[in-house]
Amino acid sequence: MPSQLSRRQLLTGAASLTAASTLRLSSASQPSALFEEIPAASSGLEWVHDNAMSDSRFLPETLGPGCAFLDYDNDGWMDIYLVNSGPSDFWTPKKPIRNALYKNNRNGTFTDVTEKAGVAGHTFGMGVAVGDYDNDGWPDIFVTSYGRCILYKNNKDGTFSDVTEKAGLATPGWTTSAVWFDYDNDGRLDLFVCSFVDYSSTHKFECGDNNLGRKYYCIPRIFKGTASFLYHNNGDGTFTEVSKGTDIAKSLGKSLGVVATDINNDGRMDLFVANDTVQNFLFVNRGPDKTGKWQFEEIALQAEVGFSDNGQPRSGMGVDAADLNNDGWQDLFVANVDQEMFSVYQNTKNEGFRDIAHANTVAQATRLLSGWGLKYFDYDNDGLIDLFLANGHPDDMIDSYSQQVHYKEPLLLFHQAPDGKMVNMSDQAGPVFKKMFPARGLAVGDYNNDGAVDVLVANNGAAPVLLKNAAAGGRNWLGLKLEGVACNRDAIGTRLIWKAGGKTYRRLKNNGGSYLSSHDPREVLGLGDASKIDELEIQWPAPSKRIEKLTNLEVNRYIHIVEGKGIV
């Protein structure tokens, strides 16, 4: 690492501002803060994560928590779910702690309804995945854990029921991120669950003392990897594990992040999985074989997303996918630990990718950072995909023996300039980007329904941070709530093509992404200065594969589109 470069230079990325972005930044319409931190006293989000940190330094203490935006009561406003630690085989809390569900009061504040809703958790929670697995129109909640996972079925009356055992989802071991997606295109959401390392009361290795004379967290490299899980939705409220005999079961990883996307445009959703200290996985959905067994082929090595450019495994944590350059093909992103840099993988349209992080200054800006939660999204509604990163080092003692790397780290914001390059805006994005956080999960969602997508960051052993988007003011948008009928109710896998202001934009409705977290299921289409959408084409996924077109759509509102019925 070049010692002559300052931390500030590395974080902002030398020569990162193009002429176009400088012009944008100096525009009179540009707010002084692109994202405004909303204090807990104003929002009502007074819950704080307890990471169970102890002198013994048990590894699960470092990895949580996740968070989610969801509309649990179907009132059209995004609520918030936050995951906490809990009782385990190495920790008994001195006082009861719990997860939290906050109802959106529609005025910028939230009310804690956890106990009434029955979603307190009481396990050593990690992440959350939200999806309507029974196609009843109400979002359900799946919580991953070190220990017992939990499936909460939405009862449609503001409460949930724990149906984990009945559903067959009491997944063993240490699970992290999870994603709902319809892998076999039967119209029902299936579930992929990331499994981390073999870590239990009999496999808690002592890593000795560091130069401070204190025990330290073991590097995951010393633990055995485990296989992740794929569950098929049987359509009757139960699930069957179907990963046995596939590359998913054969691939022993240390999985932390996952996104469901379609990397080869074949209409089947694939999985990109980030692994810690071993290669990443890219499970390409090949469909059924001659016996009807569904096959996933692991191709990360040949796709060039498994290792670093010099062939080394890295500490993959957060992931995401999006059509970054608007060419109709999904690109990937993975965040790693400090010294490894993060990767921006551009799709080469032949089931391969090339890392363009250096060309976009993302590699330079993240050299000293450890990335967890992240999201590709259009934060300023100009129609181009941008990038938000939440960072934090896993070792709380790193400040004591490193002058460059810190436990609490800054958020990063990258804006896509008209020339397609990602420009680091963090230094000009407002006061919150000058703060440091022990960040882990990150979810995006429009909690105040103004069309500007907001951000929620979950911090390890600290309070969450709610960030109100102030960057999209003045630009037009259209929000879509998509409802599948023949396809899955959440419409995962839908392709959107919209034309506005003489430009054409494309998007695939992926699911998952980030780290341990789940996002607002609605799609916000940025239009820039265009006053209307000339045409919106919706390509619903199988089994129907229906194509619908809507024209001359008014903007700056949310609309509800039902497969086969149009706007309702």
Side-chain angles (χ1 to χ4, degrees):
M1 183 189 312
S3 59
Q4 68 269 24
L5 288 182
S6 69
R7 178 175 174 79
R8 181 181 180 86
Q9 286 174 310
L10 286 168
L11 292 179
T12 58
S16 63
L17 291 178
T18 65
S21 65
T22 301
L23 180 62
R24 175 185 295 278
L25 198 62
S26 62
S27 169
S29 64
Q30 189 72 28
S32 58
L34 301 184
F35 286 85
E36 175 190 355
E37 182 179 1
I38 305 300
S42 299
S43 68
L45 298 175
E46 297 182 345
W47 174 95
V48 177
H49 179 251
D50 189 330
N51 58 9
M53 186 176 290
S54 67
D55 291 338
S56 298
R57 292 298 194 269
F58 295 117
L59 194 57
E61 299 167 4
T62 70
L63 262 62
C67 57
F69 280 111
L70 74 162
D71 183 9
Y72 83 96
D73 53 358
N74 269 348
D75 66 350
W77 294 76
M78 285 297 115
D79 311 298
I80 285 175
Y81 191 73
L82 301 160
V83 180
N84 212 341
S85 306
S88 69
D89 60 6
F90 65 84
W91 187 55
T92 301
K94 294 181 180 179
K95 61 180 181 180
I97 63 173
R98 58 175 174 80
N99 300 349
L101 176 63
Y102 279 94
K103 175 178 171 56
N104 191 327
N105 298 324
R106 313 184 196 182
N107 61 1
T109 69
F110 296 82
T111 298
D112 189 335
V113 295
T114 313
E115 298 299 340
K116 177 183 177 181
V119 290
H122 301 306
T123 62
F124 203 96
M126 287 283 138
V128 53
V130 178
D132 182 7
Y133 76 89
D134 52 2
N135 284 341
D136 66 354
W138 296 76
D140 309 296
I141 301 173
F142 183 74
V143 180
T144 62
S145 301
Y146 170 73
R148 178 180 181 268
C149 294
I150 304 173
L151 176 62
Y152 287 118
K153 174 178 167 54
N154 195 321
N155 296 325
K156 312 178 190 179
D157 60 0
T159 70
F160 292 77
S161 295
D162 182 344
V163 296
T164 314
E165 301 295 336
K166 178 183 177 181
L169 291 178
T171 310
W174 183 355
T175 54
T176 53
S177 294
V179 62
W180 296 100
F181 75 121
D182 183 9
Y183 77 83
D184 57 350
N185 288 334
D186 65 353
R188 299 186 294 266
L189 289 181
D190 310 299
L191 182 65
F192 179 87
V193 184
C194 289
S195 181
F196 195 44
V197 299
D198 184 4
Y199 189 94
S200 65
S201 56
T202 57
H203 292 89
K204 291 186 177 66
F205 294 100
E206 291 284 346
C207 290
D209 299 336
N210 57 20
N211 55 10
L212 303 176
R214 297 162 61 186
K215 292 183 179 179
Y216 61 91
Y217 293 112
C218 297
I219 298 174
R221 186 176 294 110
I222 72 170
F223 297 102
K224 293 181 179 179
T226 58
S228 294
F229 302 88
L230 178 63
Y231 291 100
H232 178 257
N233 188 332
N234 299 322
D236 59 0
T238 69
F239 293 79
T240 300
E241 186 191 345
V242 292
S243 42
K244 293 178 181 177
T246 71
D247 278 6
I248 293 175
K250 297 173 185 176
S251 302
L252 300 183
K254 301 173 184 181
S255 302
L256 291 177
V258 60
V259 62
T261 187
D262 182 1
I263 64 118
N264 53 9
N265 287 344
D266 66 355
R268 294 189 291 261
M269 297 295 278
D270 312 303
L271 295 164
F272 181 49
V273 180
N275 283 305
D276 194 344
T277 69
V278 296
Q279 76 156 82
N280 300 322
F281 298 142
L282 181 56
F283 295 114
V284 175
N285 188 338
R286 298 301 189 196
D289 62 16
K290 294 180 180 179
T291 68
K293 175 76 172 177
W294 218 269
Q295 297 299 316
F296 283 83
E297 182 184 4
E298 202 292 291
I299 67 164
L301 181 60
Q302 53 266 46
E304 298 190 37
V305 296
F307 297 95
S308 67
D309 284 343
N310 61 1
Q312 297 298 313
R314 293 184 287 186
S315 297
M317 296 178 287
V319 296
D320 202 19
D323 182 0
L324 194 59
N325 55 354
N326 198 37
D327 66 351
W329 295 77
Q330 293 293 296
D331 309 299
L332 304 175
F333 190 97
V334 61
N336 303 297
V337 80
D338 66 283
Q339 318 300 338
E340 294 179 345
M341 298 178 291
F342 305 174
S343 288
V344 180
Y345 287 119
Q346 185 179 74
N347 197 319
T348 57
K349 306 179 184 180
N350 58 356
E351 296 193 353
F353 296 82
R354 63 187 185 96
D355 192 347
I356 58 172
H358 277 282
N360 285 275
T361 73
V362 172
Q364 298 91 317
T366 58
R367 186 185 296 273
L368 295 177
L369 301 180
S370 299
W372 304 84
L374 57 94
K375 199 74 182 82
Y376 274 137
F377 71 108
D378 179 10
Y379 75 77
D380 60 348
N381 284 342
D382 66 351
L384 303 178
I385 296 296
D386 310 303
L387 174 65
F388 199 114
L389 298 169
N391 310 291
H393 199 276
D395 184 358
D396 66 306
M397 292 184 282
I398 189 68
D399 294 83
S400 300
Y401 47 88
S402 174
Q403 295 182 347
Q404 293 182 305
V405 179
H406 301 282
Y407 176 59
K408 295 182 179 181
E409 297 179 344
L411 306 171
L412 291 183
L413 182 68
F414 287 85
H415 177 260
Q416 185 174 167
D419 63 0
K421 294 293 180 66
M422 301 298 285
V423 178
N424 191 347
M425 304 293 288
S426 312
D427 212 33
Q428 298 86 21
V432 73
F433 291 88
K434 301 184 187 304
K435 292 186 175 183
M436 302 291 180
F437 300 98
R440 297 295 186 267
L442 178 149
V444 301
D446 182 9
Y447 79 87
N448 56 358
N449 281 348
D450 65 352
V453 179
D454 311 298
V455 175
L456 179 67
V457 178
N459 291 303
N460 182 263
V465 176
L466 179 63
L467 301 174
K468 180 182 176 181
N469 186 332
R475 291 198 176 94
N476 295 319
W477 57 277
L478 181 67
L480 309 179
K481 179 182 178 181
L482 300 174
E483 181 181 324
V485 177
C487 73
N488 66 89
R489 189 71 174 254
D490 288 354
I492 306 302
T494 298
R495 293 183 183 274
L496 302 170
I497 302 174
W498 68 101
K499 298 178 181 179
K503 298 179 180 178
T504 300
Y505 304 94
R506 299 169 178 84
R507 184 176 300 175
L508 172 66
K509 186 172 174 57
N510 296 320
N511 206 24
S514 189
Y515 170 74
L516 302 181
S517 299
S518 196
H519 312 285
D520 186 338
R522 301 172 298 181
E523 296 291 334
V524 176
L525 311 182
L527 309 180
D529 298 326
S531 59
K532 66 184 176 73
I533 289 185
D534 300 312
E535 180 181 279
L536 170 63
E537 180 175 309
I538 305 170
Q539 301 175 5
W540 301 92
S544 74
K545 298 184 179 180
R546 180 190 295 268
I547 297 177
E548 299 181 60
K549 292 185 179 181
L550 304 172
T551 58
N552 297 319
L553 294 172
E554 296 180 6
V555 297
N556 301 329
R557 59 179 179 140
Y558 278 98
I559 58 175
H560 183 184
I561 302 177
V562 177
E563 181 185 3
K565 298 180 180 179
I567 301 173
V568 298

